[in-house]
Amino acid sequence: GLLALGACATMAPDEQPSPEGKTAEGWFEAGEFAQAAEAFLELADDRRRTRDHYRLRAAESWREEGNLPAARRLTGEIRRKKLGPEDNLRFDLLLAEFAMADGDHGRTLNLLTLPDASLPPDLRLRVLELRARALAASGDALGSARQRMRINALLPAAERGDNETEILVALARMEPQVLQREIAKLAGNDPLRPYAELTLRRAGLAAPQVLPLASRPVGTLSPLPAGETEQGGWRREGYQPPPVVALLLPAEGPLKAAAQSLRDGFFAAYFADDGKRPEVRVYDTGATPETAMAAYLQAVAEGASRVVGPLAREDVGALFEAHDLRVPVLALNHADTGAPPPSGSQQFGLLPDDEAVLAAEHMYARGYTRVAIVAATEDFAERAALAFRAQFEQAGGTIVGEARVAANGVDFSAAIAGALGGTASVNDGTLALFVAVRAQQARLLMPQIKIAGDGTIPVFATSHVYSGVRNAGLDRDLDGIEFCDLPWLFDAAPGLPSREELGSSLPSAAGAGARLFAFGMDAYRLLPYLDWLQSNRDAYLPGATGQLALDDFGRVRRLLVWATFSNGVARLTGGNSGR
């Protein structure tokens, strides 16, 4: 329904407020709208010069009471020429509401054409809400969502929930393919983008992404002002470490092993830090979103100035729904709801979707305009396939076919043939394959791809094709696959301890958990620069997991390196550009 007009003690034009006028406005502010209406009508009878103003206030009172017929009757007795400029706006707003009630959405919108900035603050929310409803009723779902985004900007964070639900309801009325095309037109910082992405995700599609264009690393050294001697007389640009950090991770459960690798990486970066190290406290998030929220609240009560975590998607979602996070969070996953972090907080994750987006851009830039997709039936692969298709088609490429391969399968020839759709024999150098499968499955899949394409079809993949552990004997069948991955796995992260160096004392750095170890290192190394990255979109942190930049919605975006299998060994591809 319409948002309440609220406490808007409107004074009669050219008149000092009388005791009776104050009483009437007091009834209105107290929510006693019927009494306010009667009081305003008495004033209208007593004050001929301002009669129309008080009739308007009485009509507005009946409107707030929900008595539109009474409000409508009164407006018929009001002479517009006797109203001041603001009262004329209020009069039009009442007429627009009557038109809306009559189903005349065109007239409703015609009465609400003034720019938002020209409206008094107490009217702005009402106008935006009415416009949103009229646009939705007339079939303009995107326009309605845009009006509600303006409402969101005017509401306190704690009061946005219902309006944000209405944004998603409006977008869900659009055909998913139409919404996908509209998202492609949005700027990377358009506040509607996260809601549109979430709506598409719920419809089983992905949105094309705007990749970060960060060009300068954080931490540039500059001389300290005279008299300051910290860090040997030099200051790192953007460097502002928090004094107390709370690390929220599960101590038991299905994510225990992942949390251990991540924690090892976090503290490896901590002990390698030659700057001003914060105090770090570790909290167990337990097994449910409720226990994760309790861990957050405990950390805040005990003085944390920055929280890192939680790790589970459901826990992150519950934390983000709280909206009012007194202490900012660097979440170690994306929310299961798809919601972006509240203002001031960030989220960081090793997402298959992001890798697929980079692969699409990389392949198209290499001249491959026709691509077949082969993906596993797991969730990560499905997400990668959807993200790849959205990005590649937005770039101008064509998906010639798509197939899924079951984890327990052995013969994938039919799936490969189905994805290629007879195009393998007409490869003019523009055809390639994108695969989203794990290493074990890739070892079976790749030889069959070479047979189907006569060894001429280039194959690109996400990091999942590489186990993260060198094994030339097992990986020889992967020769030729080019994939994106973390620079630290290939000692391509300058300024960080090498994997071999750390692996000698920390098994989690050397084994299959190495990516999570690197993730933990970057979670720590981001902390002093989060505020700087949020306000400097052209800056990035050269990290273990990639070049790390923040988008306008607090999401850490990664640019990765590219590697190719040769003689069973994954080596960096020449001319790495991060895309």
Side-chain angles (χ1 to χ4, degrees):
L2 286 166
L3 296 171
L5 182 61
C8 57
T10 304
M11 193 183 301
D14 305 318
E15 181 179 288
Q16 292 299 314
S18 65
E20 295 86 356
K22 288 181 179 179
T23 299
E25 294 293 352
W27 288 122
F28 190 97
E29 291 174 23
E32 299 292 343
F33 300 119
Q35 286 179 271
E38 297 298 340
F40 283 128
L41 286 174
E42 287 181 18
L43 283 164
D45 290 339
D46 292 344
R47 289 165 170 75
R48 183 174 179 179
R49 193 169 62 85
T50 53
R51 177 176 298 162
D52 298 282
H53 166 78
Y54 285 119
R55 281 178 176 165
L56 176 63
R57 292 299 289 131
E60 288 182 314
S61 300
W62 284 126
R63 175 260 177 202
E64 293 290 345
E65 179 70 12
N67 190 343
L68 279 187
R72 197 189 295 249
R73 282 194 303 273
L74 267 176
T75 55
E77 302 174 13
I78 296 171
R79 297 166 296 173
R80 288 199 69 146
K81 64 182 180 180
K82 296 290 186 179
L83 297 176
E86 182 175 325
D87 277 354
N88 262 291
L89 286 177
R90 294 175 178 277
F91 188 77
D92 278 342
L93 185 49
L94 277 176
L95 295 181
E97 289 173 353
F98 301 152
M100 186 70 193
D102 294 339
D104 191 346
H105 310 127
R107 175 166 166 73
T108 303
L109 293 168
N110 286 337
L111 286 162
L112 302 173
T113 54
L114 279 174
D116 298 352
S118 67
L119 296 168
D122 61 293
L123 296 186
R124 198 169 298 159
L125 281 175
R126 266 180 69 190
V127 169
L128 290 171
E129 168 84 10
L130 194 53
R131 274 190 203 146
R133 290 176 57 216
L135 287 165
S138 60
D140 186 355
L142 187 61
S144 178
R146 285 209 172 280
Q147 293 297 314
R148 291 198 175 279
M149 286 307 307
R150 292 178 182 151
I151 292 173
N152 234 37
L154 297 174
L155 293 173
E159 296 177 18
R160 291 175 184 163
D162 289 344
N163 186 61
E164 289 175 344
T165 298
E166 291 295 336
I167 294 171
L168 294 171
V169 167
L171 294 174
R173 292 194 184 106
M174 298 177 69
E175 287 293 326
Q177 288 76 12
V178 173
L179 179 57
Q180 196 173 42
R181 289 196 296 273
E182 290 297 330
I183 289 179
K185 302 173 188 176
L186 300 180
N189 62 350
D190 192 306
L192 191 60
R193 179 174 278 276
Y195 300 93
E197 290 176 0
L198 174 55
T199 304
L200 270 188
R201 193 177 298 116
R202 288 174 173 175
L205 293 175
Q209 298 294 310
V210 178
L211 293 178
L213 298 174
S215 56
R216 61 187 178 106
V218 297
T220 302
L221 291 175
S222 59
L224 281 171
E228 294 187 35
T229 58
E230 187 181 350
Q231 296 175 11
W234 295 88
R235 170 184 288 138
R236 296 186 214 168
E237 184 182 52
Y239 182 79
Q240 192 173 358
V244 182
V245 173
L247 180 59
L248 273 55
L249 292 172
E252 299 294 337
L255 293 177
K256 177 181 178 179
Q260 181 63 56
S261 295
L262 198 158
R263 184 165 51 244
D264 286 351
F266 189 91
F267 280 105
Y270 174 86
F271 287 114
D273 186 0
D274 59 359
K276 188 177 180 181
R277 290 189 299 209
E279 178 185 348
V280 177
R281 302 166 183 166
V282 181
Y283 295 83
D284 178 14
T285 54
T288 68
E290 292 74 22
T291 54
M293 179 61 76
Y296 170 81
L297 294 174
Q298 182 184 351
V300 171
E302 293 177 0
S305 50
R306 167 69 73 166
V307 173
V308 180
L311 181 56
R313 290 166 62 88
E314 298 81 3
D315 296 353
V316 175
L319 210 59
F320 286 0
E321 283 179 1
H323 279 294
D324 185 20
L325 297 180
R326 283 176 288 159
V327 173
V329 167
L330 173 62
L332 297 175
N333 209 329
H334 285 221
D336 59 338
T337 60
S343 177
S345 291
Q346 296 83 24
Q347 61 187 10
F348 183 23
L350 307 182
L351 301 184
D353 323 49
D354 290 351
E355 294 186 16
V357 165
L358 291 174
E361 293 280 336
H362 180 72
M363 292 170 71
Y364 192 80
R366 292 272 296 273
Y368 300 110
T369 56
R370 299 181 301 136
V371 169
I373 299 173
V374 177
T377 52
E378 296 178 72
D379 176 65
F380 87 87
E382 188 63 39
R383 289 170 56 187
L386 288 171
F388 182 91
R389 175 183 280 275
Q391 197 73 18
F392 194 70
E393 290 181 337
Q394 165 62 18
T398 301
I399 303 299
V400 300
E402 197 166 342
R404 299 292 183 268
V405 288
N408 59 355
V410 175
D411 183 359
F412 303 131
S413 55
I416 296 166
L420 289 169
T423 57
S425 60
V426 288
N427 190 2
D428 57 358
T430 64
L431 177 67
L433 258 170
F434 170 70
V435 300
V437 297
R438 297 195 189 277
Q440 186 175 359
Q441 198 169 25
R443 293 172 189 135
L444 294 171
L445 183 67
M446 189 61 178
Q448 297 177 55
I449 289 174
K450 290 176 179 175
I451 293 171
D454 198 23
T456 64
I457 301 179
V459 180
F460 296 82
T462 59
S463 65
H464 302 83
V465 297
Y466 179 38
S467 67
V469 179
R470 178 182 279 204
N471 192 325
L474 277 177
D475 289 341
R476 201 170 298 276
D477 284 331
L478 301 180
D479 281 2
I481 292 184
E482 187 172 344
F483 63 98
C484 55
D485 213 329
L486 282 55
W488 185 70
L489 293 184
F490 303 93
D491 286 331
L496 289 175
S498 73
R499 182 182 181 186
E500 184 178 350
E501 176 187 335
L502 289 170
S504 60
S505 57
L506 293 166
S508 52
R515 290 189 180 91
L516 287 164
F517 185 96
F519 182 44
M521 283 199 291
D522 279 354
Y524 176 81
R525 296 178 67 249
L526 275 167
L527 292 173
Y529 296 108
L530 285 170
D531 291 339
W532 179 259
L533 290 169
Q534 194 72 69
S535 56
N536 293 270
R537 296 288 186 275
D538 61 338
Y540 69 89
L541 174 74
T545 61
Q547 289 184 2
L548 308 178
L550 280 177
D551 69 12
D552 289 86
F553 309 108
R555 301 177 294 196
V556 178
R557 309 298 296 270
R558 300 183 300 137
L559 289 182
L560 306 178
V561 295
W562 286 88
T564 305
F565 282 101
S566 177
N567 295 321
V569 178
R571 296 184 175 88
L572 288 181
T573 306
N576 258 285
S577 65
R579 292 193 182 181

